[in-house]
Amino acid sequence: MILASVAAACLVPTCICLILAVRYDRLRTEYEQNKANLEWYRDRFGNEMTILAENGEEVTVLADGQEASTSQSGEFEADYSDIYISGATNPEDIEGTRYVYLTFDDGPSSSTDKILDILDQYNVKATFFVCGKPDEKYTDIYKRIVEDGHTLGMHSYSHKYSQIYASLDSFKDDFEKLRIFLYQTTEVWPEFYRFPGGSSNGVSKVDMHELISFLDEQKVTFFDWNVSAGDDKAGANKDTVYANIVNNIPKFKHCVVLMHDAADKKYTVEALPEIIEAIQAMDDTVIVPITGDTLPVQHIKK
Ligand SMILES: [Zn+2]
C-alpha cells in the first residue's frame, strides 16, 4: 500500500510533466510559424494591414498580431488601411478544387529557358510577368513563353520604380511601351499586369487607385500574390523558397504564387521541380495559368 502510494506520487507528476512538455512543444512550433508569417507580412506591408479573418470579416492587425486600436473618431490609424489579402480561407472551409497559379516576375533572363524546360517536363502552365528587354537574345524567349502555352503578363518596361511611379503619365508611357513591344515580339496583346513591388508598393508618388483606374480603362487586370517564394530576400535558398511556397499554399483556395525569373535567383530554379511535385501531390489541387476567368488576388481594393 505504502509502496503503491510512493509509486503513484512519483508517476503522476512525471506523466503530467510529459504531457505539458509535448503541449509546450506544439505551441512553440505554432508560435514560431505565426511569427514567421507575421514577419513576412510586416516586410511586405509595414506595421499594419487589413486581413480577412476566418469568419470573412476584414480585420486590421498590427505586425505583432494584435488587433489595431481604433482612433478616437473610430477609424483605423493604418497607413495601408485598404490593403488586404483576398482568397484567404480557413483551411477547413476549403471545398472542391484548389487553384495554384505559379507566376514569375522580372524575366526574361538567363534562367527562363531552364524554368520553361521544368514546366514542360511536368506539363505545367504558368504565368510570366515580363519586362521590356529589347536585346535580341531575349526575342526567342518571349516567343517560347507564348508558344509553350504560358500566359504572358506585363511587369513594366523599365522596372525602375522612380520612373514608373513618378506620375500617371510616366506610368502610362511605360505601360504602352511594354504592351506594344510585347505585341510586336509575340503577337500577343497582354491583358494582365503585375505592379513592380505590388499594388501595395508604398513608394508610388501617384495614388495607386489612379493607376488601377487606368488599367481598368485598358481592360487590363492586375494581379498581386498571396503566397511568396521570398526568393528576393537576403538569405533565401532552395529550402526557404520551397518551404515558403509549399507550407503556405494550404492556407488558400486560390493561390497566386510570386517567384522571380532572374539570373541571380538560381535557387528558385533549383527548388522548382520539388515545388511542383509537392503541389501536384496535394489533394484536389491543380496548377493553372492565369486567364480572364481567374479570381484576382489584389492587395489594394478598387
Ligand atoms: Zn519585379
Side-chain angles (χ1 to χ4, degrees):
M1 188 70 180
I2 294 167
L3 272 177
S5 304
V6 172
C10 293
L11 268 176
V12 172
T14 311
C15 287
I16 291 172
C17 277
L18 276 174
I19 291 166
L20 287 176
V22 170
R23 198 170 288 177
Y24 170 80
D25 198 50
R26 206 175 296 157
L27 283 171
R28 180 89 210 161
T29 312
E30 213 169 287
Y31 167 77
E32 292 296 344
Q33 258 168 13
N34 285 336
K35 203 171 132 197
N37 284 346
L38 280 162
E39 265 161 24
W40 180 82
Y41 285 128
R42 176 159 45 190
D43 250 26
R44 215 46 259 167
F45 305 114
N47 279 328
E48 292 186 356
M49 64 175 295
T50 305
I51 58 168
L52 277 184
E54 287 180 4
N55 61 10
E57 280 176 17
E58 289 175 3
V59 181
T60 299
V61 293
L62 302 172
D64 61 1
Q66 302 297 308
E67 274 190 38
S69 59
T70 50
S71 67
Q72 301 223 315
S73 66
E75 284 173 3
F76 287 119
E77 294 173 317
D79 289 329
Y80 300 106
S81 57
D82 58 357
I83 291 172
Y84 75 119
I85 303 283
S86 60
T89 317
N90 186 2
E92 284 93 57
D93 293 342
I94 290 176
E95 282 174 22
T97 311
R98 175 187 293 114
Y99 295 94
V100 177
Y101 304 89
L102 300 179
T103 70
F104 297 90
D105 283 12
D106 299 354
S109 75
S110 55
S111 294
T112 319
D113 269 326
K114 289 174 207 138
I115 293 171
L116 289 168
D117 288 344
I118 296 166
L119 295 174
D120 190 37
Q121 188 190 332
Y122 288 93
N123 196 22
V124 162
K125 304 296 179 208
T127 302
F128 289 80
F129 289 104
V130 296
C131 297
K133 301 185 186 179
D135 193 319
E136 268 185 23
K137 70 180 177 188
Y138 293 126
T139 307
D140 285 343
I141 301 183
Y142 286 111
K143 286 182 178 165
R144 186 179 167 198
I145 291 171
V146 171
E147 281 159 10
D148 283 8
H150 305 291
T151 298
L152 187 71
M154 297 173 278
H155 187 50
S156 83
Y157 191 94
S158 72
H159 205 275
K160 289 185 182 135
Y161 290 30
S162 58
Q163 280 178 23
I164 303 158
Y165 294 132
S167 68
L168 178 57
D169 280 343
S170 55
F171 180 82
K172 284 181 183 176
D173 288 347
D174 179 278
F175 172 90
E176 274 153 16
K177 193 174 173 188
L178 177 63
R179 204 177 200 188
I180 289 165
F181 169 74
L182 292 179
Y183 181 69
Q184 286 172 342
T185 311
T186 66
E187 294 179 16
V188 167
W189 191 239
E191 297 173 318
F192 308 108
Y193 194 87
R194 172 163 288 147
F195 290 105
S199 66
S200 54
N201 62 75
V203 298
S204 178
K205 292 197 167 61
V206 197
D207 183 340
M208 289 303 290
H209 295 90
E210 281 185 44
L211 306 186
I212 292 166
S213 298
F214 167 70
L215 293 183
D216 281 347
E217 287 163 19
Q218 300 294 316
K219 309 248 181 304
V220 166
T221 308
F222 77 92
F223 282 82
D224 289 312
W225 57 90
N226 51 9
V227 175
S228 172
D231 54 358
D232 53 346
K233 300 263 178 300
N237 58 49
K238 187 186 165 188
D239 294 337
T240 61
V241 166
Y242 176 89
N244 284 336
I245 294 176
V246 174
N247 294 345
N248 284 299
I249 283 177
K251 296 175 187 168
F252 302 97
K253 187 166 179 178
H254 299 269
C255 307
V256 177
V257 181
L258 169 66
M259 289 182 269
H260 289 88
D261 167 8
D264 61 343
K265 311 235 165 31
K266 298 233 179 329
Y267 32 80
T268 307
V269 181
E270 285 165 20
L272 190 57
E274 284 166 44
I275 289 168
I276 293 173
E277 283 169 27
I279 299 171
Q280 288 180 332
M282 291 178 189
D283 288 337
D284 298 324
T285 301
V286 291
I287 304 174
V288 282
I290 285 174
T291 68
D293 294 329
T294 306
L295 186 78
V297 167
Q298 299 174 336
H299 296 165
I300 280 194
K301 279 188 258 180
K302 286 189 190 172

